[in-house]
Amino acid sequence: MTTDTDYKQSTSSEDEFTILKALLDASDEFVSGSVLGEQLGISRPAIHGKLEKLREQGFEIEAIRNKGYRLTQEPEVLHPALIRYYLEAASTDMAVLYFPVIDSTNSEAERQITYERKSPFAVASSCQTKGRGRLGREWYSASADNLYLSVLFEPNIPPQQLQHFTLWAGIFICRALQSFTPKAALQIKWPNDLHCDGRKFAGMLTEAKMDSDSLRSIVFGIGINLNSNPSNYPKELRKIATSLYAINGDELPINKVAARVLQAVNQAYHACIHNKTTETLPEAWEPLSSLHGKPVTALQGDKELSGIASGIDASGALLLAQPDGSTIPVCAGDVTLKK
Ligand code: BTN
């Protein structure tokens, strides 16, 4: 049986972070060993040892006598110090806890709050053993080339203020990911899926805890099929799922993507709590909607509703246009395209 304590967090030391920051800030330039030594207050042989450790973690670091060190390649797997570096570069103040394997990043975020971890913070993983999807479904989380992220906030505000948070997070994340895949249009399928060419590559799940009439904590989780090859997915997913790698034709830089997604979640959260979006929800949604103008069927509870998807209203409900000119709002449920 697996218990919570079997999941080991992987951390980077402050020294490692300082070295990485110096190398990344220098970009293509060399950083001298004596500069690194001074920054850390350690000897050059000690710097050499720390660089060796980074090499073991997948960093390729060129060393040239009398010039110093230059980072030539980042690891292709998640690395907590790299996510931290890219988040700090984007002025996003959010601690990131990295677990190579975890049951569910949403569950770990909930556990961390019971250990009094200061929010907001993120949990990142390369593999989930009990990934959760919407409506009690399982989320396929086996591949280390994918991205599993959760962010926990403690808003302590009335829940209405964050009722559109997941929709806004979808909008911000879709725009953020689009910058990595210039060749293909990324879209949102109402309410919580990210799609490209009719196939899903990411899903979002928000879970909240209430205290009388205040929102105590909110965990936003997202699973992104990133650099995995869809032909390796379970058979039942192969026809409906894709990955950003398959969409883009090239692998994406996993740590930069993770930081960009976390930044987008943070921006969506602050836009909602400070009520400072410059556009309305329907305006922001429409150009990204994968369903717009298409005939769909919505399953709301045990009721089946049909119509032409014609955007969302200010409450976030999907609008189904009817032949008589009226529209039916769908507040929750699953939507499928009509064949
Ligand atoms: C869905 O489309 O059904 C939502 C999927 C949400 C999956 C993510 S992966 C990270 C986080 N941890 C979980 O257990 N679920 C979410």
Side-chain angles (χ1 to χ4, degrees):
M1 201 179 99
T2 312
T3 63
D4 300 348
T5 50
D6 291 327
Y7 303 115
K8 294 270 179 295
Q9 187 183 342
S10 161
T11 53
S12 289
S13 69
E14 275 307 305
D15 282 0
E16 247 174 34
F17 181 72
T18 305
I19 295 177
L20 275 180
K21 182 166 163 31
L23 293 174
L24 286 157
D25 282 348
S27 187
D28 274 349
E29 303 294 315
F30 283 86
V31 181
S32 83
S34 53
V35 165
L36 290 176
E38 269 166 37
Q39 279 189 13
L40 296 170
I42 57 176
S43 66
R44 290 180 72 158
I47 291 287
H48 187 80
K50 289 187 187 290
L51 288 164
E52 265 321 295
K53 271 196 161 168
L54 285 170
R55 288 192 178 103
E56 283 162 18
Q57 294 166 41
F59 290 92
E60 285 177 23
I61 300 164
E62 190 181 359
I64 295 192
R65 192 183 283 274
N66 295 329
K67 273 182 130 181
Y69 302 99
R70 182 166 69 164
L71 183 65
T72 53
Q73 177 91 44
E74 291 178 13
E76 284 161 9
V77 292
L78 274 179
H79 193 285
L82 282 176
I83 307 178
R84 176 177 161 194
Y85 175 81
Y86 290 120
L87 274 177
E88 285 185 8
S91 306
T92 304
D93 184 17
M94 185 185 282
V96 180
L97 315 176
Y98 171 60
F99 292 79
V101 180
I102 196 75
D103 51 352
S104 148
T105 53
N106 272 30
S107 304
E108 181 58 32
E110 280 162 24
R111 283 195 292 272
Q112 287 289 333
I113 208 71
T114 66
Y115 313 150
E116 305 195 349
R117 165 85 49 197
K118 182 175 160 281
S119 65
F121 63 86
V123 179
S125 184
S126 309
C127 174
Q128 298 184 121
T129 55
K130 284 185 208 149
R132 292 200 292 277
R134 283 175 67 231
L135 310 168
R137 294 180 190 134
E138 189 187 318
W139 181 255
Y140 168 71
S141 311
S143 172
D145 296 323
N146 290 339
L147 200 47
Y148 312 103
L149 295 170
S150 296
V151 186
L152 187 141
F153 299 98
E154 290 174 290
N156 288 315
I157 53 171
Q160 301 87 290
Q161 250 176 286
L162 279 170
Q163 65 183 337
H164 303 138
F165 167 59
T166 314
L167 297 175
W168 277 111
I171 292 167
F172 279 79
I173 293 170
C174 190
R175 289 173 179 164
L177 291 175
Q178 185 67 76
S179 62
F180 290 95
T181 61
K183 288 179 269 178
L186 306 185
Q187 295 181 309
I188 315 177
K189 177 173 175 272
W190 186 89
N192 293 342
D193 295 347
L194 294 180
H195 271 227
C196 184
D197 279 338
R199 285 171 193 245
K200 177 167 169 171
F201 66 86
M204 294 167 270
L205 174 72
T206 303
E207 297 174 312
K209 284 215 162 66
M210 296 276 299
D211 239 2
S212 59
D213 53 1
S214 161
L215 204 49
R216 190 148 56 89
S217 66
I218 179 163
V219 179
F220 172 86
I222 181 163
I224 304 175
N225 297 342
L226 194 73
N227 287 330
S228 51
N229 186 338
S231 58
N232 297 329
Y233 296 172
K235 197 161 167 247
E236 66 279 11
L237 294 183
R238 274 179 231 154
K239 274 207 178 110
I240 55 172
T242 187
S243 71
L244 287 172
Y245 162 69
I247 292 165
N248 195 45
D250 272 319
E251 289 197 359
L252 273 70
I254 192 163
N255 292 290
K256 276 189 191 152
V257 171
R260 196 62 197 84
V261 169
L262 295 175
Q263 186 195 354
V265 176
N266 203 41
Q267 285 168 335
Y269 177 79
H270 287 285
C272 291
I273 56 168
H274 301 303
N275 202 9
K276 60 164 195 197
T277 46
T278 51
E279 55 213 318
T280 65
L281 184 57
E283 277 166 5
W285 187 270
E286 196 187 305
L288 298 176
S289 170
S290 71
L291 299 175
H292 200 75
K294 297 186 177 151
V296 300
T297 302
L299 204 57
Q300 193 167 241
D302 51 9
K303 239 168 62 189
E304 201 178 277
L305 304 163
S306 293
I308 305 291
S310 53
I312 61 173
D313 66 15
S315 78
L318 177 70
L319 298 173
L320 299 188
Q322 303 300 299
D324 65 2
S326 65
T327 50
I328 303 177
V330 182
C331 302
D334 258 350
V335 178
T336 46
L337 280 176
K338 268 193 176 166
K339 297 242 164 70

